[in-house]
Amino acid sequence: VRRFVGVDPAPMSCVSATLHLPLPRHDITAADVAAGRRRNRDICYNPQRYLRAGPRELLERRTELIRQSAALRAGQQWNRSARRAVFGRIRQVNAQILQCEPKRVKELARDVEMLESQWQQNRTALDRAYFFALHPLASLRGLVDRIRAEIEAS
């Protein structure tokens, strides 16, 4: 400015700041949501991990079918129809085990829904792109005061 116009410029600075809206936030992470989704999926394939108690005969049948599946995979991996049939029977037994505690399945599904909802609320609350007039005036004044203090200190 001095060279182009011939006058000394006034002191200036370029400042960037983030001010979040005062919206509710939850103490969860993306990893919490992913873990909830994994549990919700895993209960279909490993119901014994999540149910308090399953019928013993179904659990024993499941264990035997898994042993058969492992044996087919190890010795007859080319026999896809036999492997598929055993897998189908494992899924049927898993479904029967889950029918013993249907509330537990719904409970895990609700947990995932809650985690996803809280995660979305966090994303909304932590968004930086809200119009400044949506912020409370006291928050804006506090931000301006902090910026002024930083400028004066430097």
Side-chain angles (χ1 to χ4, degrees):
V1 172
R2 182 179 301 120
R3 202 175 36 191
F4 186 69
V5 180
V7 295
D8 287 335
M12 64 180 109
S13 60
C14 179
V15 178
S16 173
T18 297
L19 183 63
H20 296 293
L21 288 173
L23 297 173
R25 296 183 202 139
H26 306 278
D27 188 26
I28 64 165
T29 64
D32 297 328
V33 176
R37 288 175 180 158
R38 273 192 307 276
R39 280 190 303 273
N40 200 37
R41 180 184 182 280
D42 192 44
I43 194 171
C44 296
Y45 296 98
N46 296 290
Q48 76 286 355
R49 293 179 184 168
Y50 301 93
L51 304 183
R52 288 151 189 81
R56 184 175 167 169
E57 63 277 356
L58 285 175
L59 294 173
E60 289 173 356
R61 177 72 178 136
R62 182 181 183 281
T63 301
E64 174 57 26
L65 288 168
I66 290 172
R67 188 198 61 71
Q68 288 176 19
S69 176
L72 285 170
R73 190 171 48 249
Q76 298 181 32
Q77 62 269 27
W78 49 267
N79 192 348
R80 290 182 183 263
S81 61
R83 290 175 58 202
R84 191 175 311 120
V86 171
F87 179 74
R89 289 195 299 272
I90 292 171
R91 289 193 67 173
Q92 288 173 347
V93 170
N94 285 346
Q96 291 172 346
I97 293 170
L98 287 174
Q99 289 173 359
C100 297
E101 283 189 54
K103 288 182 181 179
R104 184 67 176 133
V105 176
K106 290 177 184 175
E107 192 178 290
L108 284 177
R110 276 193 310 271
D111 288 350
V112 170
E113 288 175 9
M114 183 188 65
L115 287 168
E116 289 174 341
S117 173
Q118 289 177 345
W119 180 249
Q120 185 57 45
Q121 288 174 16
N122 281 356
R123 290 184 64 199
T124 301
L126 297 173
D127 194 328
R128 297 174 46 167
Y130 290 110
F131 180 57
F132 80 95
L134 294 175
H135 294 273
L137 186 56
S139 296
L140 292 171
R141 284 188 175 141
L143 177 62
V144 168
D145 291 343
R146 287 192 307 271
I147 292 171
R148 276 194 182 127
E150 287 294 321
I151 290 172
E152 289 170 1
S154 55

